[in-house]
Amino acid sequence: MSGELGERLHRWMLPTAVLSVDVAPDGSQIYAACMDGVYRVETATGVSEKLDVHQSYASGVVVVPDRDLVISAGYDGALQWFDLAGKQRLRRVVAHPFWSWQLALAPDRKRLASVTGQYLAGRSEEHTSELQSRGLI
């Protein structure tokens, strides 16, 4: 049966190790946090494009399709918002003094959480309110 757990359906190559992925709702793109940056991979062709970089490894990534954004976290402790249409970074927030291992966006898009290598999870009400007012989450 096609698609069973453990069966490889597709394989896409990226230049470095992948630490996190998110998939566009329609499945047409995969967004990958890699050791050398954040990539978009077109699933139909396998063509990849580097979108953004962190000062260290990119370790987490979420796509916000209705805002045409990708948010990434990195070992530099920063969260970064990248505008897919404008192909530019919109914002960079140093969320942790230590690396961020992963991040998640709440289904209602009102909260963005990041987990550090210090085994702490956090979010900032100040940052959350500002980002909501700017339409970034």
Side-chain angles (χ1 to χ4, degrees), residues 49-63:
E49 171 188 14
K50 186 187 274 188
L51 301 174
D52 202 4
V53 297
H54 280 263
Q55 294 173 359
S56 187
Y57 303 149
S59 56
V61 64
V62 293
V63 62

Side-chain angles (χ1 to χ4, degrees), residues 64-137:
V64 188
D66 62 327
R67 301 269 191 221
D68 218 13
L69 292 171
V70 169
I71 305 170
S72 62
Y75 274 33
D76 54 6
L79 303 176
Q80 296 178 174
W81 285 254
F82 187 84
D83 176 8
L84 293 167
K87 296 193 176 192
Q88 65 180 350
R89 185 184 304 158
L90 297 175
R91 180 149 173 88
R92 181 175 190 273
V93 173
V94 177
H96 308 288
F98 202 68
W99 64 67
S100 174
W101 275 351
Q102 190 57 271
L103 80 154
L105 185 63
D108 65 4
R109 291 188 5 242
K110 292 184 179 178
R111 291 175 231 48
L112 182 68
S114 175
V115 181
T116 79
Q118 293 175 313
Y119 309 104
L120 302 171
R123 67 183 172 95
S124 164
E125 291 295 336
E126 175 186 342
H127 290 310
T128 300
S129 296
E130 178 188 346
L131 297 171
Q132 286 174 336
S133 71
R134 294 177 57 188
L136 297 177
I137 60 171

